[in-house]
Amino acid sequence: MAFVPVPKDLNAVKTKVLFNLTKRQLICFGSGAAVGVPLFFLIKAHAASSAAALCMIVVMLPFFLLAMYEKNGQPLEKVIRDIIRVCFIRQKKRPYITNNFYAVVERQANLDKEVYGIVNGKKTHPRRKKADRSGHRAGKSKQ
């Protein structure tokens, strides 16, 4: 009987299109060949074959890396984008900020008091201490 391995994670299975390659790999290899082969013949006319072959390899290498390299299920361009974001775009120190629900509720209660005071005709701000009849603020003694 034939034994066929079945992967546990079916998200890791990729659809093969042609020559057991994925669509992404076919596009990257094709574009690498479209750039590298004409470059080889252009350089071969002016330099040695080994130098032309090395130049072709150097030019085609990024295309092959884009086709084959994956880290944690992400292709190379996403990995490079994340590295650029972390190193250059985002700020180095990221403060830890939380949303304090109590502060939001307290702010809303103060606003409700203020609206209630406006509706009932009170001129004082609800957060300010009211002045007593002598003209001094509450809590302060005369000296």
Side-chain angles (χ1 to χ4, degrees):
M1 224 181 215
F3 177 75
V4 178
V6 177
K8 291 181 181 180
D9 185 16
L10 294 178
N11 292 329
V13 177
K14 297 180 181 175
T15 307
K16 307 295 182 178
V17 178
L18 188 66
F19 302 121
N20 205 20
L21 297 172
T22 63
K23 187 174 17 173
R24 175 185 178 82
Q25 291 170 343
L26 284 173
I27 291 170
C28 290
F29 289 151
S31 57
V35 171
V37 173
L39 181 69
F40 171 76
F41 289 114
L42 287 173
I43 295 176
K44 186 179 173 189
H46 301 290
S49 295
S50 61
L54 285 174
C55 288
M56 179 182 74
I57 290 171
V58 168
V59 169
M60 292 175 73
L61 189 63
F63 293 101
F64 293 146
L65 286 174
L66 286 171
M68 300 303 292
Y69 185 81
E70 270 190 8
K71 183 175 183 178
N72 298 329
Q74 293 183 336
L76 181 64
E77 66 269 9
K78 288 187 179 180
V79 172
I80 291 173
R81 182 193 67 198
D82 291 341
I83 291 171
I84 290 172
R85 278 185 184 169
V86 167
C87 292
F88 302 112
I89 297 174
R90 289 194 179 153
Q91 58 184 349
K92 298 299 179 199
K93 288 186 179 179
R94 298 188 309 171
Y96 179 73
I97 299 173
T98 61
N99 292 329
N100 188 353
F101 182 71
Y102 179 74
V104 173
V105 171
E106 186 178 16
R107 201 174 18 220
Q108 184 63 41
N110 289 336
L111 289 174
D112 289 343
K113 286 180 187 177
E114 186 177 347
V115 169
Y116 181 76
I118 292 171
V119 169
N120 290 333
K122 294 181 183 177
K123 303 264 181 178
T124 61
H125 195 276
R127 291 185 210 131
R128 295 184 192 148
K129 294 181 179 179
K130 295 181 183 179
D132 61 358
R133 292 184 186 182
S134 64
H136 296 296
R137 295 216 170 234
K140 290 187 178 180
S141 63
K142 292 184 185 179
Q143 290 179 357

